[in-house]
Amino acid sequence: MRILQVSDGPDVRPAAVDPGGAVRMLDAWIDGQPEAWLHPEALCALDRRFQADYARLPVAREVRGRVVAPVAPAQVISIGLNYVSHAREAGLELPPEPVVALKSPHAVAGPYDDLPIPEHARAVDWEVELAVVIGRRTQYLSGPEDSSARIAGYCVANDLSDREWLLARQGQWTKGKSFEGFAPLGPYLVTPASLPDPGDLSLGCWVNGTRMQAGSTADMRFGVDFLVFYLSQFMVLAAGDVILTGSPGGNALGRPGQAYLRPGDRLVSEIAGLGRQAKRCVRAPAGVARTRAGPALA
Ligand code: ZN
């Protein structure tokens, strides 16, 4: 099942794509908090009902300009260096355990929202990634085999980072990853029943029509089930939380001479079976006045 969230004035309303490709409003069937409807068992029941009875639901009018992120996570957890190709380009060793960074949940954006580029972010880089959405409170799992019962579904993400704030401004990666709009999610939350193998999906990212990233989740160093299990050992995961599982190579960082994202650029991110994001980069209001210019990124 492919579920999306559509803004309607001040409200955000759930919807789903029917087998014919039409978007049907789900309000009548989804009521309540994410902890209720994102629970994997609730989603399975919703999926069965939808397949049997979707024709009863109203078709949404023209939704594209109104699609927001499919979930509003309290936590966005970014896994670093999880693809051999990306670690090699970054000049870093493949880590023996997952590298974990937190990204501000306020960085979450919709799949077609403009991407704001502030003047003091001079090295904004793309990272198309498979996002895992947690479906229920999860802590201290016994092993990776327990993870699938905790997953609500998957979506396309781009783990945008400003490389200068990430690498040259001291401290943790959170600085480079948390700018407004740097965690676009969606368009859809795709439930596990509709995505049998998240470990074998092709990913791609295009800038101004040029393909920059091409990879497969089969190349992930640590797979989805292991990551959920691993994170649960030292943090609580809650319904709606999002894990960004790492990015293949092809970032600007790994391409000598490649320009970073600038206002006017077009960014497309796609994962087979999960859909496609398309964004325009725009100049964000300058916020540089009280910010010391960082050392140049080599
Ligand atoms: Zn990343």
Side-chain angles (χ1 to χ4, degrees), residues 89-147:
E89 284 181 358
L92 297 166
E93 293 284 309
L94 209 58
E97 294 197 37
V99 171
V100 177
L102 287 172
K103 192 169 173 101
S104 168
H106 300 303
V108 169
Y112 313 120
D113 292 347
D114 288 345
L115 173 63
I117 310 271
E119 278 179 27
H120 61 286
R122 295 185 293 253
V124 179
D125 204 352
W126 47 85
E127 294 188 349
V128 61
E129 303 199 9
L130 172 68
V132 178
V133 177
I134 296 297
R136 53 188 282 218
R137 185 183 161 92
T138 292
Q139 190 178 24
Y140 307 141
L141 294 184
S142 311
E145 65 278 8
D146 291 342
S147 293

Side-chain angles (χ1 to χ4, degrees), residues 171-227:
Q172 300 185 333
W173 289 356
T174 297
K175 292 180 193 175
K177 289 181 174 291
S178 293
F179 287 78
E180 180 186 17
F182 275 27
L185 302 176
Y188 316 110
L189 171 71
V190 179
T191 58
S194 299
L195 195 79
D197 188 1
D200 188 20
L201 303 172
S202 62
L203 311 84
C205 183
W206 291 256
V207 177
N208 298 326
T210 300
R211 184 160 192 158
M212 294 294 183
Q213 291 185 279
S216 167
T217 57
D219 296 330
M220 283 168 50
R221 167 91 159 83
F222 301 105
V224 166
D225 287 351
F226 183 82
L227 290 171

Side-chain angles (χ1 to χ4, degrees), residues 30-104:
I30 289 185
D31 187 20
Q33 298 301 308
E35 300 78 55
W37 74 268
L38 283 174
H39 192 292
E41 288 169 19
L43 279 175
C44 281
L46 180 69
D47 195 359
R48 283 193 297 274
R49 185 179 180 189
F50 188 74
Q51 299 311 327
D53 240 1
Y54 66 84
R56 292 171 183 268
L57 295 169
V59 173
R61 296 183 320 279
E62 196 43 52
V63 292
R64 184 181 162 101
R66 300 189 288 132
V67 178
V68 301
V71 287
Q75 299 193 97
V76 180
I77 302 150
S78 169
I79 306 298
L81 308 173
N82 202 22
Y83 286 75
V84 179
S85 51
H86 178 43
R88 190 185 300 131
E89 284 181 358
L92 297 166
E93 293 284 309
L94 209 58
E97 294 197 37
V99 171
V100 177
L102 287 172
K103 192 169 173 101
S104 168

